Amino acid sequence: MIQLFGLQSADLVLVFLLLLNALTFVVYGIDKWRAQGGHWRIPEQTLLLLAAFGGAFGACLGMVVWNHKTSHKRFRYLIPFFVLLQGLLAFYFLRLY
């Protein structure tokens, strides 16, 4: 088992996912703020990749709180799919742990 700062590997994964979801939530908020100001935007591909690689809950929360990307079909369907997939994976791995 890998240990870092006294945490087991499963705990490290949980901390990583929490930080990634927090980052994703903030990135969605920044993109919304920049969109309202007419400034340079964060590419949609970046937003989707953050959600796909573990930040789906933060992306979903960001869409709701910031009312951001809610009219884009790609986001309306992919983000809930990522949330479901990541939730099922979390449930599966927590049962193993």
Side-chain angles (χ1 to χ4, degrees), residues 50-70:
L50 282 169
F53 289 120
F57 295 100
C60 189
L61 187 61
M63 286 177 66
V64 172
V65 169
W66 312 120
N67 192 29
H68 191 46
K69 299 292 185 187
T70 55

Side-chain angles (χ1 to χ4, degrees), residues 25-63:
F25 175 75
V26 170
V27 168
Y28 271 67
I30 291 170
D31 190 53
K32 176 66 174 191
W33 175 68
R34 295 187 68 79
Q36 291 173 337
H39 299 196
W40 176 85
R41 305 282 304 280
I42 297 168
E44 287 186 355
Q45 183 177 5
T46 302
L47 297 173
L48 287 171
L49 284 174
L50 282 169
F53 289 120
F57 295 100
C60 189
L61 187 61
M63 286 177 66

Side-chain angles (χ1 to χ4, degrees), residues 13-25 47-60 82-83 85-87 89-90:
V13 170
L14 181 62
V15 168
F16 170 77
L17 288 174
L18 288 172
L19 291 173
L20 180 59
N21 277 282
L23 172 70
T24 303
F25 175 75
L47 297 173
L48 287 171
L49 284 174
L50 282 169
F53 289 120
F57 295 100
C60 189
F82 293 149
V83 168
L85 181 64
Q86 290 170 21
L89 287 171

